[in-house]
Amino acid sequence: MNEIPATMRQLRSLVTPEGELRLSVATVDTPRPAEREVLVRVEAAPINPSDLGLLLGMADVSQAAAGGAADEPTVTAPIAEPVLRLLAARVGDPMTVGNEGAGVVVAAGESPEAQALLGRTVGFIGGATYGEFCLASPRMCLPLPDGSDAADGASSFVNPLTALGMVETMRREGHTGLVHTAAASNLGQMLNRICRNDGVPLVNIVRRPEQADLLREQGATYVCDSSEPTFDGDLVAALRETGATLAFDAIGGGPLVSQILNAMEAAIVPDDAPYSRYGSDVHKQVYVYGALDRRPIELHRRFGFAWGVGGWLLTPFLARTPPEDLARLRQRVSDELTTTFASSYTDQISLGQALDVPTLQRYAQQATGQKFLLRPQL
Amino acid sequence: MNEIPATMRQLRSLVTPEGELRLSVATVDTPRPAEREVLVRVEAAPINPSDLGLLLGMADVSQAAAGGAADEPTVTAPIAEPVLRLLAARVGDPMTVGNEGAGVVVAAGESPEAQALLGRTVGFIGGATYGEFCLASPRMCLPLPDGSDAADGASSFVNPLTALGMVETMRREGHTGLVHTAAASNLGQMLNRICRNDGVPLVNIVRRPEQADLLREQGATYVCDSSEPTFDGDLVAALRETGATLAFDAIGGGPLVSQILNAMEAAIVPDDAPYSRYGSDVHKQVYVYGALDRRPIELHRRFGFAWGVGGWLLTPFLARTPPEDLARLRQRVSDELTTTFASSYTDQISLGQALDVPTLQRYAQQATGQKFLLRPQL
């Protein structure tokens, strides 16, 4: 235990009552693991879209400004009034950030499952991975193969299990093909590799021609670009060929969800079918797992009555998954860590660099093809 | 069999390629039942909201005009161009109308289940109940108690089983209370009686003060009027008291679905709860079973990720229901036909009167408190 310092640096995100986001690197006591916990020395943590909501509090980062002392830098940015009301519950609470990461287990509670991980390099889900050390539950740790680089395991949890969770959900709910939006993301590329390996027909929806090219270069068969005038027809054709009746949507605003449902219905109903006011009896489902577009979802109902739209998140999916299935999924991630589940990073930054204004403005963009890795030990 | 005439009168609804709705009373061959069918002499058939879409083809009935010969009247009304496109599959096909009705089984196929109904008065689902005779499947017939008036059984299928189906769905999916919109409808009043009998907490949402009064007079505890400025707060308070996390919505357009989901989430999350970007983990569900408002559904997402919105229809619900459960539901309808499941009608009309322009304009309104019964033998 004597290698563990008494205090450590940790990134904090505060929303002030005046409507200001304030990011800082706090010096706090290094936590001690309880009986069923481990302490991980965090080597690498990705900045995922799912982290940015909490980290940036929907602030206007174009107006971000540096502040604080040279050895204790801060960055501030204004938050619009309507957004601030949504954040009421977090005002005044300097929150820890970072959903996942990888590193070495340097301390463990007394329970056997915690002790078993001592000394291992693990990928894990934390909630405070943007810091030098972080507590984790053994159930939320994925031991990496011996000799793994922590950077390879930094994204071994959220994206791999989300992508596998989509395919599992498809099978559990009786669908035989998938649709994915924002499909050129790191997650989308991973899903494309899984579906190719498993023979699952996948319709990739992207928003720009270069994203379509990227997926096609990676062997994707069905790619529909929503910026093309032929999009609706392209989508119906791809759905007719794949028979996909389940979509996972990261956009979550505007008309796209109902474009997908309407295209599914059009693909199901033959052109010469007799009129039915109730639509086909084939269930069409869209799960919304993100909110890249903050407008309301608009459902233009021309898709009958056999449909569903709902929220989907990794944590409740994992909670519903039997232990033997979870073990199988985790083993697959470990076995294919540097192939199917490889993530690539365009930038590696320290905790301090995360507070550098131009750097922050870059990772806040969530641009496809750009991905940041935080290295808290730098 | 000699009491059955060779031909019969039947209401038909035609959409012409030119964009005109044309209703007529056709004279057609009286059908003969196949092995597993019965022929019902239709005594009474309700005009339900679920019939009007097919009957009227979303035509502009304010411009309806009478036509045809004196003994073969017709009525026509224009259909707007965008609506006409949605109806492409029915253009040129003079469709039969009428989802349910009641009458006497006057002929039956050779199968035992068909023969068992011969001579009985039944409520039934047909698809062509707006005619003097109609075929039905024995599975879709509810034998009425001896001595029943057919008028009492005319609405014994769609509304009673829909209302019971809502409560069944609530139990199957693990909810413990219900929300219902357009709650002062005949169906809504029925649901209120079921929930009172069964001790199921029910939040009734109505659109006018007089509808709220009507439900309160019938013993409803929770009534929220969406025309009141206090609606959102009233709804949260009612949801907090009832714990209802499942809604059935007949409106199906505009912001109401997300008002309900947001109010459910607000009722679940205590005011002093710590901030969670993902919302509560309590699943909130809205099933849309109607389309009284033809605007798109707008989902303003402040209700986290544990939510679902979907279509709900009686027929697929019945198809998913095990035979023993279905028998229990049907027995209950039969036992409580003139109490819990009583329907009242403001107008009784003949097939010919259904084509009378002022009469048509009245039943097309779908006004709460007004209900028409068609009597094809008049």
Side-chain angles (χ1 to χ4, degrees):
Chain A
M1 289 290 281
N2 56 3
E3 63 184 290
I4 303 169
T7 63
M8 64 173 208
R9 294 182 313 139
Q10 187 180 62
L11 206 150
R12 293 293 180 106
S13 170
L14 172 68
V15 172
T16 70
E18 294 75 31
E20 190 173 74
L21 169 76
R22 189 174 302 166
L23 301 183
S24 61
V25 178
T27 297
V28 298
D29 288 347
T30 307
R32 289 166 172 275
E35 186 188 353
R36 293 169 192 281
E37 285 181 334
V38 296
L39 183 71
V40 182
R41 187 179 69 229
V42 184
E43 306 288 347
I47 301 183
N48 286 325
S50 53
D51 295 305
L52 288 173
L54 189 61
L55 181 66
L56 302 179
M58 294 177 269
D60 179 3
V61 296
S62 72
Q63 296 189 54
D71 58 338
E72 283 192 354
T74 61
V75 60
T76 58
I79 298 174
E81 173 59 31
V83 173
L84 190 61
R85 264 178 278 133
L86 297 180
L87 301 178
R90 61 168 289 193
V91 166
D93 182 9
M95 303 190 76
T96 61
V97 193
N99 285 322
E100 72 175 329
V104 178
V105 174
V106 292
E110 287 163 19
S111 71
E113 62 272 29
Q115 284 292 320
L117 292 170
L118 200 54
R120 295 291 302 264
T121 299
V122 297
F124 73 108
I125 288 192
T129 62
Y130 296 175
E132 291 179 300
F133 295 87
C134 182
L135 294 173
S137 153
R139 189 179 147 88
M140 291 292 140
C141 291
L142 179 79
L144 302 179
D146 287 338
S148 294
D149 183 339
D152 289 335
S155 296
S156 63
F157 224 107
V158 175
N159 277 355
L161 288 175
T162 299
L164 287 172
M166 291 173 180
V167 178
E168 287 285 303
T169 300
M170 178 196 82
R171 295 200 177 105
R172 277 185 207 168
E173 301 188 3
H175 302 272
T176 56
L178 282 173
V179 178
H180 189 222
T181 72
S185 64
N186 244 298
L187 173 63
Q189 295 177 40
M190 213 173 262
L191 183 64
N192 180 47
R193 291 193 290 270
I194 295 169
C195 288
R196 276 166 53 90
N197 288 348
D198 293 10
V200 173
L202 172 67
V203 178
N204 297 279
I205 298 178
V206 298
R207 291 180 283 183
R208 286 201 299 274
E210 59 270 29
Q211 297 168 337
D213 294 343
L214 182 143
L215 281 167
R216 288 207 182 89
E217 281 161 20
Q218 297 185 13
T221 309
Y222 304 99
V223 186
C224 298
D225 180 350
S226 61
S227 72
E228 298 281 353
T230 56
F231 174 65
D232 282 320
D234 295 346
L235 187 54
V236 173
L239 290 168
R240 207 164 266 163
E241 288 192 44
T242 57
T245 46
L246 174 63
F248 283 88
D249 172 47
I251 313 288
L256 185 59
V257 166
S258 69
Q259 282 178 291
I260 294 169
L261 289 170
N262 284 322
M264 285 176 175
E265 181 72 356
I268 289 162
V269 178
D271 287 335
D272 59 351
Y275 175 71
S276 164
R277 204 162 51 81
Y278 297 118
S280 77
D281 57 3
V282 178
H283 185 78
K284 301 158 290 290
Q285 179 72 38
V286 180
Y287 285 119
V288 178
Y289 73 96
L292 293 176
D293 185 332
R294 300 198 172 277
R295 290 177 297 167
I297 297 173
E298 271 171 45
L299 301 178
H300 300 257
R301 293 161 68 197
R302 291 188 294 275
F303 40 74
F305 277 84
W307 62 279
V309 176
W312 194 94
L313 276 184
L314 178 58
T315 314
F317 165 78
L318 294 177
R320 280 193 306 271
T321 300
E324 62 275 18
D325 288 348
L326 194 56
R328 171 174 53 80
L329 299 181
R330 291 159 60 114
Q331 187 60 48
R332 180 166 178 184
V333 176
S334 176
D335 292 346
E336 304 173 21
L337 193 61
T338 57
T339 54
T340 310
F341 301 106
S343 286
S344 58
Y345 305 95
T346 50
D347 297 79
Q348 304 209 9
I349 59 174
S350 69
L351 287 174
Q353 287 168 324
L355 271 57
D356 173 61
V357 171
T359 304
L360 181 153
Q361 287 168 337
R362 283 177 55 234
Y363 65 70
Q365 277 177 6
Q366 307 188 41
T368 298
Q370 178 185 277
K371 188 145 183 108
F372 282 69
L373 188 66
L374 204 61
R375 308 289 309 230
Q377 307 299 328
L378 291 185
Chain B
M1 289 287 282
N2 56 3
E3 63 185 291
I4 304 170
T7 63
M8 63 173 208
R9 294 182 311 139
Q10 187 180 61
L11 205 149
R12 293 293 180 106
S13 170
L14 170 70
V15 173
T16 69
E18 295 75 31
E20 191 173 73
L21 170 76
R22 187 173 305 165
L23 302 183
S24 61
V25 178
T27 298
V28 299
D29 288 346
T30 306
R32 290 166 172 275
E35 185 188 353
R36 294 169 193 280
E37 284 179 335
V38 296
L39 182 71
V40 182
R41 186 181 68 228
V42 185
E43 306 287 347
I47 300 183
N48 286 324
S50 53
D51 294 305
L52 288 173
L54 188 61
L55 180 66
L56 302 179
M58 294 178 268
D60 179 2
V61 296
S62 72
Q63 296 189 53
D71 58 338
E72 283 191 355
T74 63
V75 59
T76 59
I79 298 173
E81 174 58 32
V83 173
L84 190 61
R85 264 179 277 131
L86 299 178
L87 301 178
R90 61 169 287 194
V91 166
D93 183 8
M95 303 190 76
T96 61
V97 193
N99 286 322
E100 71 176 330
V104 178
V105 174
V106 293
E110 287 163 21
S111 71
E113 61 272 30
Q115 284 292 322
L117 293 171
L118 199 54
R120 295 291 302 263
T121 299
V122 296
F124 72 108
I125 288 193
T129 62
Y130 297 175
E132 292 179 298
F133 295 86
C134 182
L135 293 173
S137 153
R139 188 180 148 87
M140 292 292 140
C141 289
L142 178 78
L144 301 180
D146 286 338
S148 294
D149 183 342
D152 289 334
S155 295
S156 63
F157 224 109
V158 175
N159 277 356
L161 289 175
T162 299
L164 288 172
M166 292 174 179
V167 178
E168 286 287 301
T169 300
M170 179 197 82
R171 296 202 176 104
R172 277 185 207 169
E173 301 188 3
H175 301 272
T176 56
L178 282 174
V179 179
H180 189 222
T181 72
S185 64
N186 243 299
L187 173 64
Q189 295 178 40
M190 214 173 261
L191 183 64
N192 179 48
R193 291 192 290 268
I194 295 169
C195 288
R196 276 167 53 91
N197 289 347
D198 293 10
V200 173
L202 171 68
V203 178
N204 297 279
I205 298 179
V206 297
R207 292 180 283 185
R208 286 201 301 273
E210 60 270 29
Q211 297 169 338
D213 294 343
L214 182 142
L215 281 166
R216 287 207 183 91
E217 280 161 21
Q218 297 186 12
T221 309
Y222 304 100
V223 185
C224 298
D225 180 351
S226 61
S227 71
E228 299 281 352
T230 57
F231 174 64
D232 281 321
D234 295 346
L235 187 55
V236 172
L239 291 168
R240 206 164 268 163
E241 288 190 44
T242 56
T245 47
L246 174 62
F248 283 87
D249 172 47
I251 312 287
L256 185 60
V257 167
S258 69
Q259 282 177 290
I260 294 170
L261 289 170
N262 285 321
M264 285 177 177
E265 181 72 358
I268 290 162
V269 178
D271 287 336
D272 59 351
Y275 175 71
S276 164
R277 202 161 53 79
Y278 296 118
S280 76
D281 58 3
V282 179
H283 185 78
K284 299 158 291 292
Q285 180 72 37
V286 179
Y287 285 118
V288 178
Y289 74 96
L292 293 178
D293 185 332
R294 301 199 171 275
R295 291 179 296 168
I297 296 173
E298 272 172 43
L299 300 177
H300 299 258
R301 292 163 66 199
R302 292 186 296 275
F303 41 74
F305 277 85
W307 63 279
V309 176
W312 195 92
L313 276 185
L314 178 59
T315 313
F317 164 79
L318 295 177
R320 281 194 306 270
T321 300
E324 61 275 19
D325 289 348
L326 194 56
R328 171 173 53 79
L329 300 181
R330 291 159 59 114
Q331 187 60 49
R332 180 166 179 185
V333 176
S334 176
D335 292 347
E336 304 174 22
L337 192 61
T338 57
T339 54
T340 311
F341 302 106
S343 286
S344 58
Y345 305 95
T346 51
D347 296 79
Q348 304 210 9
I349 59 175
S350 68
L351 287 173
Q353 285 167 325
L355 270 58
D356 172 62
V357 170
T359 304
L360 182 154
Q361 288 169 336
R362 283 177 55 232
Y363 65 70
Q365 278 179 4
Q366 306 188 41
T368 298
Q370 179 184 277
K371 189 143 181 108
F372 281 69
L373 187 66
L374 204 60
R375 309 288 311 230
Q377 306 299 328
L378 293 184

